[in-house]
Amino acid sequence: MTLATNSILISTDQALSLLETVLHHSQAEDVTVTLNNTEESLTRFSENQISQNLTTRQFNLSITSYFGKRCASASTNELEPDAIIATLRRSEELAQVAPEDPEWVPPLEPQTYDDRMPGFDQETANLSPLRKGKIIQKVCQLATQSNIEASGTLSSEAILFAVANSRGLRACNRLTSADFSVTARIETGSAWTQRTACSVNQLPIKSLTETIINRALLSRNPREISPGIYPVVFDGAAFSDLLEWVIWNLDARAADEGRSFMSRTNSQGKPMGNRIGEPLFSFLIQVQRNPSHPLLQSSTFFNDGMKKDDLEIIKAGIPQTLFYSRYWAQKQGKTATGGMSPIVMLGSNQSLEDLIAQTERGILVSRAWYVRYVNPRTLEVTGMTRDGTFWIEQGKIAYPIKNMRFNQCLPELLAHVEALSSVERYGNTVAPGVKVKAFNFSSITDSV
């Protein structure tokens, strides 16, 4: 039996030394090198017992060589010097015969990064199968005591990522994360939730499991209601999935070319810029890119080495910026922003129960499932509720209802937000639960 594991991540000094070696041997006009060293562990459980336990360890060195506006990449998962040099020469050979890139931008100049260390927890990096097994055993015991069948995952990840180029850029970060998800099923009822943290010890696994067990017991024998437009209270886990769609679609190029809900058009329907500065959403919507948030403590730079600092995305319901790639920023005379992740939406000091208490009649949605585009231009999406959908009456959960399909324009969803709960972390997004005054359900679905 494996009692413990030791993280095999190379050190920051080793990573940067390796990148320097590649740069030293390069014969290209410019070169960018990235190194990704990852250890991921995953434990699955089903029907109140562990069904799978695995650990994957990866090392990937990627080299991009440049000759003018021609570039090409090659990668290797070997640490031996001969393999690395062969990969470097391969990228140079490919770059010399590659077509010129019409959207070429030069490698980044050196960046100034935030003076902080990303969240790295050694205990999470070394999390053993035995420790995970004991955690899952307690989850399964709680489920068994309530005649519930529990399934889900407990995962941990330790990452070292480094980037360097021939123009003097150097960066290296190490970080960890742990994620827990659980589904509880009993007869015709089910419930689900998920949570993420920098450390496995920060995951409230026992309280989450107890909450989901209680919600599953309440969800049995759901009733059918008519599709239509209803007030809705979204659990934070459900709302975060919808919020991400909005933020991912705040793309400057798509907006400027008339392909986005952020596009402005003239009377002939031709694009004429974007809608930055317009009050599109509820004044409660405050969204930032905030990698230093206590629940995240994420990397100080993006994969290309661009600094990842704080960025105001939506303030009091008004979009403040769009995502500008380096190419589109250069073309439009703007400043490149880097990606919008990690997403942080501000919440309040209220609980989800407070939002329910403020709802005279409406629906509680615990999970948004299988969300897909209907119309990218308006950001209308379709999806289904799942794992615990309830009718709210006079500020209380009255009874479970059958799951429904929704067709909803997401900018309108954010415009209809009228109350927020406190925030939690779901993946790389920090979001609150929300209450909205109108949400469109189009049909009943057989999803469970």
Side-chain angles (χ1 to χ4, degrees), residues 16-228:
L16 292 175
S17 176
L18 182 56
L19 299 190
E20 291 291 350
T21 299
V22 176
L23 295 174
H24 175 74
H25 286 89
S26 172
Q27 298 172 1
E29 294 175 11
D30 272 309
V31 62
T32 298
V33 194
T34 62
L35 189 156
N36 193 342
N37 187 196
T38 305
E39 181 170 333
E40 298 175 284
S41 295
L42 172 70
T43 299
R44 296 182 187 274
F45 58 101
S46 179
E47 298 179 341
N48 297 345
Q49 59 184 342
I50 291 176
S51 56
Q52 184 184 42
N53 192 76
L54 57 90
T55 297
T56 59
R57 292 163 176 159
Q58 296 181 339
F59 172 88
N60 182 271
L61 183 74
S62 179
I63 306 170
T64 302
S65 296
Y66 299 85
F67 292 92
K69 294 184 178 181
R70 304 176 189 274
C71 65
S73 299
S75 62
T76 181
N77 59 9
E78 298 183 53
L79 268 170
E80 288 74 14
D82 289 347
I84 292 173
I85 296 301
T87 303
L88 174 61
R89 298 292 172 248
R90 181 61 174 163
S91 73
E92 292 168 346
E93 293 169 3
L94 292 172
Q96 289 175 323
V97 298
E100 289 193 347
D101 183 356
E103 298 184 2
W104 177 87
V105 291
L108 278 168
E109 298 297 328
Q111 305 280 294
T112 301
Y113 302 114
D114 287 348
D115 185 21
R116 64 175 180 85
M117 296 293 291
F120 187 90
D121 178 63
Q122 195 65 53
E123 186 173 350
T124 300
N126 296 337
L127 191 62
S128 70
L130 180 61
R131 170 77 190 285
K132 286 190 292 182
K134 289 181 177 179
I135 294 172
I136 297 304
Q137 183 182 41
K138 293 178 181 178
V139 171
C140 294
Q141 286 174 345
L142 288 170
T144 300
Q145 291 167 8
S146 298
N147 295 318
I148 291 280
E149 283 191 358
S151 61
T153 61
L154 175 62
S155 64
S156 60
E157 182 178 47
I159 299 173
L160 179 143
F161 186 82
V163 58
N165 69 24
S166 52
R167 302 202 174 194
L169 182 143
R170 304 287 187 274
C172 186
N173 277 168
R174 295 196 313 161
L175 56 157
T176 55
S177 65
D179 186 274
F180 174 69
S181 70
V182 59
T183 300
R185 296 189 182 279
I186 180 170
E187 301 166 7
T188 56
S190 67
W192 166 89
T193 196
Q194 177 250 346
R195 201 65 55 82
T196 313
C198 299
S199 164
V200 67
N201 293 323
Q202 295 171 348
L203 292 173
I205 292 176
K206 183 174 184 291
S207 62
L208 285 176
T209 302
E210 291 171 341
T211 297
I212 291 311
I213 286 174
N214 291 333
R215 194 174 289 184
L217 293 170
L218 289 172
S219 69
R220 290 174 293 180
N221 303 315
R223 306 180 193 181
E224 185 173 309
I225 68 168
S226 299

Side-chain angles (χ1 to χ4, degrees), residues 338-360:
M340 295 297 196
S341 179
I343 300 166
V344 174
M345 178 169 161
L346 304 188
S348 74
N349 58 4
Q350 296 189 101
S351 65
L352 188 70
E353 289 70 27
D354 292 330
L355 303 192
I356 294 170
Q358 298 163 19
T359 305
E360 184 176 350

Side-chain angles (χ1 to χ4, degrees), residues 9 33 58 68 98 111 114 118 135 180 183 190 226 238 245 276 283 296 304 317 325 332 369 374 394 439 442 448:
L9 296 186
V33 194
Q58 296 181 339
Q111 305 280 294
D114 287 348
I135 294 172
F180 174 69
T183 300
S190 67
S226 299
W245 278 78
I276 284 295
F283 73 95
L296 291 163
D304 63 355
S325 67
Q332 299 296 91
W369 175 253
V374 173
Q394 296 182 346
F439 190 79
S442 54
V448 295

